[in-house]
Amino acid sequence: MTRMKYAKQTAPKLLPADPFHQKLAIELSFTIMRGWALSDSEQFTLTGLKDTYIFQLWQQRVFTELSKETYLRLACVIDVNRQLKLMGTSATSAVRWLKSNNPAFQDQSPLHHMLGHGLEGIQDVSRVLCQQVHYPLNTTHLH
């Protein structure tokens, strides 16, 4: 048996190169978080920002450059929303799912998990939703 050589693939660059895409990530994630009826405090925590002044600027549509972690957090929030839409959930059902206790998160709500575990928690919720989109046997509680 001959060994096949594979071209080494590099991971895509996750930070947007230009301010336009950074601004878009901020605007879209804020629209999503408002749609989820999150408080300012919850939105601030999900963004991972350390400075409330920057957060207030963003709320006033004045944008600053994103750190890599903040960009990843916003990208994951956008992905969680995308996964919920792929499942065909209504906006009301999506909010109910995010705020209801779930055994996948040790009987905490997905929102509580995201708020309490930072970037890793947001990625966990995204992964659980992704699995449910691709293997939908366990999704009856979403509709």
Side-chain angles (χ1 to χ4, degrees), residues 51 62 81:
D51 187 345
V62 176
N81 192 65

Side-chain angles (χ1 to χ4, degrees), residues 7 19 24 36 42 45 48 61 82 92 99 111 124-125:
L24 188 62
W36 292 347
E42 290 168 328
T45 301
R61 300 180 53 89
R82 183 181 68 87
T92 304
K99 295 184 177 186
L111 176 60
D124 289 343
V125 171

